[in-house]
Amino acid sequence: MTLLRLGEASWTDVRDHVDAGGTLAFLPFGALEQHGPHLPLSTDTLQCTAIAERLAEHYSALLLPPVCYGSTWDNAAFPGTVSLKPSTVAALCTDIVEAVWSFGVTTLVVVNGDYGNRAPVHAAAAALGGAGDVLVLDYPGLVEVGDAVKESPWAAPGLCHADELETSMVLAIEPSLVRPERYEAAYPQLPADFGTRPIPFDTLSPSGVFGDPRASTAEKGETIISFVVARSIEQIDSHRGWASGDRRHDPSV
Ligand SMILES: [Zn+2]
């Protein structure tokens, strides 16, 4: 059994893959969101797709085409950003999970690439149950590996947006889409309640950058992606052990 890309497979390929025991699937959930003047709007989609691809490769699993839109209201003032309502993101997630469960997938792993998707995707996953299993990953290990490779400071603890970390990842994935001649650093003054209420990002950073992309390299990007993939595998293995084992006795189920 090998990785099977649903967008390129026929229905009989999927049936045969599932019949052979391939019941694990990956869904990259991205966004179409501004990432400064130097990165493409598809940055989050590129990143989560690359990570989901490596995971699907590792497990010889099914790989769904990415969701290329997400909830990114705070970037909506930047031309090109297309934001879905959180309820739309939750509904998309629910419908996709139920559809893949219906043809035999038992575990769907959502590889989430956008901060604004977190709440609705986790809420959708929590509300689903019964027929199958869903696991949502939000780039485990990203802050840890970011601390290890970044030469520039974070714009805020754990906040990376069009900075050295994200730019390095796109350099590793699709370097032709990065415009180094447009690199600029931005360290906006963030209000004390940042993260607790909706704030339009253009009022904080007119360029849309939060951090400093100038020290970005493809090598750093590769290190970041490999680390997140390794941490994701740990989480998936642990989750699958729980899901196939003594789940009945878990008081939370
Ligand atoms: Zn991003």
Side-chain angles (χ1 to χ4, degrees), residues 81-123:
T81 297
V82 176
S83 180
L84 303 181
K85 295 179 184 71
S87 58
T88 308
V89 169
L92 264 172
C93 184
T94 301
D95 288 358
I96 294 170
V97 171
E98 288 183 340
V100 300
W101 282 352
S102 76
F103 59 74
V105 167
T106 55
T107 300
L108 178 71
V109 179
V110 180
V111 180
N112 175 33
D114 173 46
Y115 184 81
N117 291 343
R118 285 190 186 187
V121 168
H122 281 278

Side-chain angles (χ1 to χ4, degrees), residues 33 35 43-44 47 113 161 166:
E33 172 187 284
H35 277 75
T43 290
D44 290 346
Q47 291 167 352
H161 190 79
E166 283 209 298

Side-chain angles (χ1 to χ4, degrees), residues 184-206:
E184 59 178 277
Y187 284 92
Q189 195 65 43
L190 302 178
D193 62 347
F194 182 76
T196 67
R197 64 177 165 94
I199 304 175
F201 275 10
D202 56 305
T203 64
L204 300 172
S205 172

